[in-house]
Amino acid sequence: ILDALLKKLNYERNRYQGYVITDSYYVYELVGEINECGYKGNLEKEQELLEELKHLIDLEIPVNRQYVEYMEMIRKGDYGEISNIQEIVESERLLKLTLKDYDNKIYRALSRMEFLIILNIAICFKREEMYQESDNIYRQIIEYYGDMTSKNQVDSMGLFYVNYVGMLEESNRLVEAEKVGWKGIRFLIGCGLGNKLGTLLGNIACIYEKGNTKEAERMGKACLKNSYILLMLYENPNDAKVISDYYVNKYKKDIL
């Protein structure tokens, strides 16, 4: 049924692979729920659904095994059971299940899962303050995807902007961070990715927090307030609370 529907809608099946390969639309919905739980920080529900998924897909298929093992690895990272360096090594192993000749160089268009894994490697490098290694990955993505409007990577590009801006800000490349940040805002609005706007605005606020002018303070406050509103709107109360608590601690008043 799914194949027939995709054909009717004029989609190529290999372009609609998503994160797993299956003929069950229920499984695609389940994967969406798992990803949503990850976004909202609902780790217990995420693990419960992941266990269900493992019984519904063929784990002999590399793409399926890649997704499941990646989600399990991220969970271990969230609970501090593995280090950032271990996560980089494991991410590279998982990446090579499908991107077999990967050697720190993007040489073809990435699947959504491959894109996510490469972004995670960049994030782990940033956590270790290995900014040059992190930046090298982001620049490869820019070089390969050009203006970053690939129809198959819209959601992944949203994550790209959120994390690239965070890395640039942490490494104090503030002018570049601000430029990339607002480009990312325009991209997210244009693609309707409101669920990532709140996080990106939070990162942009950190850029202005490092400024020492009244205008920088005004922009920082505005970004924090709008970040909080959007995070609450898209049901991410954990991150919204972080933003709110920070605002109250810094400015000695409620965020709204």
Side-chain angles (χ1 to χ4, degrees):
I1 296 174
L2 180 60
D3 279 330
L5 178 61
L6 293 175
K7 185 176 181 180
K8 186 72 174 177
L9 294 173
N10 200 29
Y11 277 104
E12 296 176 34
R13 175 59 183 271
N14 64 342
R15 295 178 64 180
Y16 192 70
Q17 177 177 297
Y19 295 102
V20 298
I21 292 176
T22 178
D23 288 322
S24 168
Y25 189 74
Y26 172 76
V27 170
Y28 283 125
E29 288 186 322
L30 187 61
V31 169
E33 286 186 62
I34 293 170
N35 295 340
E36 186 73 6
C37 286
Y39 165 73
K40 294 179 180 178
N42 191 345
L43 300 184
E44 290 186 6
K45 183 66 173 179
E46 178 188 69
Q47 183 61 25
E48 177 187 325
L49 296 176
L50 188 62
E51 288 301 316
E52 179 183 356
L53 177 70
K54 287 160 68 173
H55 293 91
L56 295 174
I57 59 175
D58 182 357
L59 292 176
E60 293 299 314
I61 298 175
V63 169
N64 294 352
R65 188 164 79 253
Q66 187 180 59
Y67 176 78
V68 169
E69 292 184 12
Y70 174 79
M71 296 303 293
E72 291 177 336
M73 177 196 69
I74 291 298
R75 181 179 176 82
K76 289 179 182 178
D78 288 339
Y79 282 107
E81 297 174 6
I82 58 175
S83 68
N84 292 319
I85 298 301
Q86 288 173 318
E87 199 164 323
I88 290 169
V89 172
E90 179 66 2
S91 292
E92 290 179 345
R93 181 190 71 80
L94 292 174
L95 188 60
K96 290 178 181 179
L97 288 175
T98 53
L99 198 65
K100 297 185 182 300
D101 296 324
Y102 178 74
D103 186 22
N104 301 316
K105 181 69 176 178
I106 298 173
Y107 61 87
R108 64 159 171 78
L110 303 172
S111 70
R112 294 173 72 187
M113 194 68 242
E114 290 166 348
F115 201 116
L116 195 61
I117 294 172
I118 282 181
L119 275 182
N120 189 62
I121 294 172
I123 291 166
C124 289
F125 275 132
K126 184 202 74 171
R127 290 174 184 160
E128 289 293 304
E129 298 184 3
M130 299 170 69
Y131 298 121
Q132 185 59 51
E133 290 81 355
S134 181
D135 188 60
N136 180 55
I137 292 174
Y138 289 120
R139 290 191 178 278
Q140 282 189 51
I141 293 171
I142 293 171
E143 180 181 344
Y144 193 91
Y145 284 95
D147 64 359
M148 288 173 274
T149 56
S150 170
K151 289 187 292 185
N152 297 328
Q153 294 292 2
V154 167
D155 194 57
S156 299
M157 287 300 181
L159 289 171
F160 166 87
Y161 277 114
V162 167
N163 290 292
Y164 191 29
V165 169
M167 189 280 291
L168 291 170
E169 178 271 318
E170 282 194 25
S171 56
N172 291 312
R173 293 159 60 183
L174 302 183
V175 174
E176 190 176 356
E178 183 180 13
K179 180 180 178 181
V180 174
W182 289 110
K183 182 178 180 181
I185 291 292
R186 291 191 294 271
F187 175 85
L188 294 176
I189 292 173
C191 296
L193 294 176
N195 63 326
K196 293 183 177 63
L197 273 172
T199 304
L200 182 52
L201 279 169
N203 286 351
I204 293 173
C206 293
I207 301 169
Y208 292 117
E209 290 286 296
K210 291 184 175 180
N212 56 5
T213 66
K214 287 292 184 182
E215 177 62 13
E217 181 178 324
R218 184 189 70 80
M219 289 294 293
K221 285 182 176 180
C223 287
L224 287 171
K225 288 180 179 181
N226 284 291
S227 172
Y228 173 78
I229 291 169
L230 285 162
L231 288 168
M232 290 299 293
L233 178 65
Y234 285 94
E235 300 179 354
N236 190 343
N238 294 332
D239 287 353
K241 186 176 187 304
V242 171
I243 295 291
S244 176
D245 289 348
Y246 173 81
Y247 190 95
V248 170
N249 183 63
K250 184 174 179 65
Y251 297 109
K252 309 306 178 188
K253 59 182 178 181
D254 291 339
I255 193 165
L256 295 178

